Amino acid sequence: MHRRLLATSSALMCALSVFLAWVLCDLHDRSLPQELHPSAVITVTPPDGMDDSDALNQLGQLNGALGLGLVRIVPDMERGTDAQVFVPLPGTTLQGLASGASIRRFGGPPDGRIGDASRLESASAGGRYLVCGRWNDAVRRGLDAWAAGAGVRLEYGDDDLAGDVRMLLGQSSFRVAVGAAVALTAVLALFWLSFKARSRALRVLAGVPAWKIQYDDAVGLMLPMLVVALMTDALAAVGVLVLRGGAFVPYLLRVTLLLESAVFVCLLVFALVLSAVCWPSVRMIAARRPMPRGLLRASVLVKAVVFVAVLAVIAPSAASFREASDAAREQSVWRRLRDQVSVSVTFGPDQTDMDAKAASLIHAMERRGKAALSYTFTDEPGNRAATDAPATGVVTRSWLDLVGVDPDATDGITPVDAGQLDEQARQVVDQFATWAVDDAQTKRLQAESHYYVADGITVPMLKGGSDEMLFPRHATVIVVPDLDGFSDSGFLTPALSSRNIVLTGLDDTRRQAMQAGLGAAVSVRYIAEEQILRAQFSAYFAWMQAAAIMLLMAAFAMVALVGADVRATLRAGHDYPLLLAGYSPGRLAAPTILTETLFALAAAGAVCIVLSAQRSDGIAATAPVAVLAALFSAICHRAAVAGRFHAVNDRTL
């Protein structure tokens, strides 16, 4: 029984290591596709006002001069899939990979492909570039010199395991998973020592050297785990070879072995430390106690630590799942906006009619049903998506159609009159006088606009002044009738340049821009490409958080069983006569159950106070978990007392 439980726990930890390695391999391949054999990835952030085409030309010249072999990563916008397209910059040659060639991926994304250079015409200069050529300190200095002169910010990511681990350590879900694995190793060491307590005492009594006892116990603990680890790693390697290809096997095994080595080192350290603390004494052997009392103290300490850890991660996990849900919803919205483009207008010194031409483009696209406005105001300038801060959005009906929201048929979205608007919304409506062409249009916009209040229902809207997607849970939505009443320079051109007016169709927008006389003065690009790439990373961390919680629960269950067994074994001589006299197991375990229940309630109260101070919404989940943990521990204590009674009767203690 003990060995089967040890093997099961070992398999659980090895499975977690393989899962984390799988996540790391997927994230690594998303950043550095293994079939392209990149040396590094560079994230380019141009300064505000820098033209995309100019920045791409400079990067192309730098690529040829330094031999970088730059490849731009963009999403597959044309075919409407989640695949990535890899576009070589001028001067880059990929051996054996022509335009249109398929690139196999490790994880969830579909296979990528090599794109044609024309794809860069609709891509922004900012984003991620693979380095598939030269990469050394001299090349990096050349890049830094260009970036400093052009005002461009560069971030580097080398193709090494340390960078991937640093990225994961920045995620709370990964840190929780590592902590859960460490907690389980401590419980396993405690469990093994309780199982070996009798044989250790007999060997001490027989005069076996201490180092020999420690060595044999460590080998007995580690050997089954090593066998399970080898079997798990072999299955994982064969699975990757069959499902993904041999190119991904070395990295997966490297990461898996690193994680498992860390687990085994922690396990060995815990085993040696707990073994020294719980060493059988002469007094214990003379009194014929089945195990040292130090095991009871160690089990109580480990149990308290694991219990507090479980309570501490419940609330963040609830928030993490909510963020993952928000990220998934954001990704679904960006997918709906896959065909939407933004237009950046370049003003020359002799071009004074650009505002009118930009407005002409907007009106032409709106008449074709291919223009949408989304401009959101919020009191928190640095907020992110899915915030609880109140917001006011000015949108057109076409935007609501794009994101799939019908305010007249959605529960939680209530139509209101202009007199029912809050202060923030009234200030926005008052701005119509500044944004409109004249007073008549101001009155028309105010009279024909529809007002809605969304409470608890998120309406996706673009943040004012940028293309950042917001999901406010408390928002006032102002649906304007059209864009005809807004002035050219006072609203339309600034909103177009800040990507708050989006147009449908890349080729159609380019044709309309030519007809409007804009020509080479505009840059047309997809608005969703970077957001789709960014949102693809979110789901894994929610799965990692779920795995960590399950592992912590398993650790708590094991330490509750081990602790109850140790306590009942140490008190068997005291409890056995009382049980013969008619005492119930629950009555004998009641003092311990009461103490642990009070501790559980106190710990839960402290955690709830901290969550309340942080204004977290995880309090509702913390209290039930504490109650269930205390109930499970009480059941374990009662069952252990009854089990020791039968063990004494059957002479198996």
Side-chain angles (χ1 to χ4, degrees):
M1 175 62 184
H2 289 78
R3 296 187 184 277
R4 288 197 297 269
L5 186 57
L6 178 62
T8 302
S9 302
S10 303
L12 184 62
M13 279 203 302
C14 292
L16 177 67
S17 298
V18 171
F19 172 73
L20 294 179
W22 187 283
V23 171
L24 190 55
C25 286
D26 192 5
L27 296 179
H28 179 267
D29 185 64
R30 287 175 186 259
S31 300
L32 295 157
Q34 293 299 284
E35 289 207 344
L36 291 175
H37 307 291
S39 303
V41 61
I42 303 174
T43 302
V44 178
T45 306
D48 293 337
M50 188 175 193
D51 184 64
D52 285 326
S53 59
D54 182 40
L56 286 170
N57 288 334
Q58 293 185 39
L59 280 170
Q61 296 172 4
L62 197 66
N63 181 48
L66 298 178
L68 287 164
L70 291 179
V71 177
R72 177 75 164 92
I73 305 176
V74 294
D76 191 354
M77 310 297 287
E78 291 83 0
R79 294 189 300 179
T81 70
D82 290 335
Q84 292 179 343
V85 178
F86 306 98
V87 185
L89 265 64
T92 296
T93 301
L94 298 176
Q95 297 295 331
L97 294 174
S99 177
S102 179
I103 301 298
R104 197 168 189 180
R105 309 309 303 274
F106 178 82
D111 291 348
R113 61 184 176 91
I114 303 298
D116 188 77
S118 60
R119 176 64 175 84
L120 295 175
E121 297 175 2
S122 59
S124 62
R128 292 185 293 128
Y129 296 79
L130 299 175
V131 179
C132 299
R134 293 176 55 200
W135 185 245
N136 50 42
D137 291 339
V139 171
R140 190 161 175 168
R141 286 194 296 270
L143 277 171
D144 290 336
W146 168 77
V152 175
R153 183 164 59 88
L154 300 179
E155 297 178 9
Y156 302 105
D158 294 329
D159 186 11
D160 59 354
L161 185 60
D164 297 332
V165 172
R166 282 195 301 270
M167 177 193 68
L168 280 180
L169 287 176
Q171 299 292 328
S172 62
S173 55
F174 182 78
R175 296 194 299 270
V176 171
V178 172
V182 172
L184 189 56
T185 58
V187 175
L188 281 177
L190 187 66
F191 163 75
W192 183 250
L193 290 175
S194 67
F195 170 59
K196 300 289 290 185
R198 184 177 180 181
S199 63
R200 283 159 56 88
L202 292 175
R203 298 184 73 187
V204 169
L205 186 62
V208 179
W211 70 267
K212 176 65 173 172
I213 297 175
Q214 292 275 45
Y215 173 79
D216 291 342
D217 288 344
V219 170
L221 174 62
M222 301 295 292
L223 191 58
M225 293 198 64
L226 289 174
V227 173
V228 172
L230 289 175
M231 294 175 60
T232 306
D233 295 349
L235 289 174
V238 172
V240 170
L241 180 63
V242 173
L243 298 176
R244 295 293 185 263
F248 304 105
V249 173
Y251 188 84
L252 177 80
L253 288 180
R254 183 174 64 174
V255 176
T256 304
L257 292 175
L258 176 65
L259 294 173
E260 289 175 347
S261 298
V263 170
F264 289 147
V265 168
C266 291
L267 181 61
L268 185 60
V269 170
F270 280 128
L272 293 176
V273 171
L274 290 175
S275 178
V277 172
C278 306
W279 192 256
S281 64
V282 176
R283 179 177 298 179
M284 185 206 86
I285 297 173
R288 296 192 176 186
R289 288 200 300 268
M291 60 181 61
R293 291 194 174 275
L295 274 175
L296 180 59
R297 293 191 292 269
S299 66
V300 170
L301 177 61
V302 173
K303 184 177 181 179
V305 171
V306 175
F307 175 73
V308 173
V310 170
L311 293 183
V313 302
I314 288 297
S317 298
S320 177
F321 292 146
R322 192 181 76 174
E323 290 172 3
S325 175
D326 291 336
R329 185 165 62 254
E330 179 181 1
Q331 185 174 356
S332 68
V333 172
W334 284 120
R335 285 174 179 169
R336 295 178 67 97
L337 301 178
R338 187 183 296 275
D339 197 34
Q340 302 304 304
V341 299
S342 64
V343 176
S344 177
V345 182
T346 303
F347 290 85
D350 56 343
Q351 294 174 314
T352 58
D353 58 346
M354 296 301 293
D355 288 329
K357 291 181 178 179
S360 175
L361 168 65
I362 295 171
H363 295 319
M365 294 296 288
E366 187 180 28
R367 286 192 296 270
R368 298 164 60 90
K370 295 185 176 183
L373 165 69
S374 178
Y375 203 107
T376 306
F377 299 84
T378 179
D379 292 333
E380 298 182 11
N383 68 339
R384 291 289 303 161
T387 180
D388 288 329
T392 300
V394 179
V395 301
T396 55
R397 180 69 63 167
S398 54
W399 171 262
L400 297 177
D401 294 338
L402 283 176
V403 297
V405 175
D406 184 357
D408 295 313
T410 303
D411 294 336
I413 301 180
T414 306
V416 295
D417 296 329
Q420 298 175 280
L421 297 177
D422 58 19
E423 181 63 27
Q424 184 186 65
R426 284 197 297 270
Q427 292 178 359
V428 173
V429 173
D430 291 342
Q431 286 292 319
F432 285 172
T434 305
W435 298 334
V437 175
D438 50 36
D439 293 340
Q441 289 294 341
T442 300
K443 295 178 180 178
R444 186 182 72 86
L445 286 173
Q446 292 176 345
E448 297 183 11
S449 293
H450 298 275
Y451 308 102
Y452 300 89
V453 173
D455 190 7
I457 299 295
T458 56
V459 179
M461 294 182 291
L462 295 177
K463 181 180 178 181
S466 74
D467 58 356
E468 178 185 344
M469 188 69 70
L470 300 179
F471 291 84
R473 288 188 171 83
H474 309 284
T476 301
V477 183
I478 302 173
V479 183
V480 295
D482 50 51
L483 298 175
D484 289 338
F486 292 99
S487 64
D488 299 349
S489 60
F491 185 82
L492 291 181
T493 304
L496 182 68
S497 300
S498 63
R499 307 187 185 102
N500 291 109
I501 294 179
V502 298
L503 309 175
T504 303
L506 180 69
D507 295 334
D508 198 8
T509 301
R510 285 175 174 169
R511 285 193 298 269
Q512 292 296 327
M514 293 293 294
Q515 294 178 10
L518 291 172
V522 299
S523 173
V524 183
R525 72 173 184 86
Y526 290 111
I527 68 168
E529 57 182 12
E530 286 304 314
Q531 288 80 357
I532 290 177
L533 292 177
R534 184 183 67 232
Q536 287 175 350
F537 287 87
S538 58
Y540 269 123
F541 295 113
W543 282 106
M544 197 182 302
Q545 192 89 5
I549 293 174
M550 292 176 61
L551 202 62
L552 273 175
M553 295 292 188
F556 178 79
M558 282 192 62
V559 75
L561 290 169
V562 172
D565 184 74
V566 170
R567 177 197 172 277
T569 302
L570 289 172
R571 291 182 57 86
H574 171 272
D575 293 344
Y576 184 75
L578 296 176
L579 290 168
L580 285 177
Y583 280 68
S584 66
R587 181 178 177 183
L588 295 178
T592 303
I593 293 174
L594 178 61
T595 302
E596 290 189 350
T597 302
L598 292 176
F599 171 78
L601 295 177
V607 171
C608 289
I609 290 174
V610 173
L611 295 177
S612 178
Q614 296 176 348
R615 297 181 179 180
S616 175
D617 57 356
I619 298 177
T622 302
V625 169
V627 173
L628 290 175
L631 180 61
F632 178 78
S633 180
I635 294 173
C636 290
H637 281 295
R638 188 199 177 284
V641 172
R644 291 307 91 188
F645 176 74
H646 294 298
V648 173
N649 284 336
D650 299 337
R651 298 183 181 273
T652 58
L653 181 61

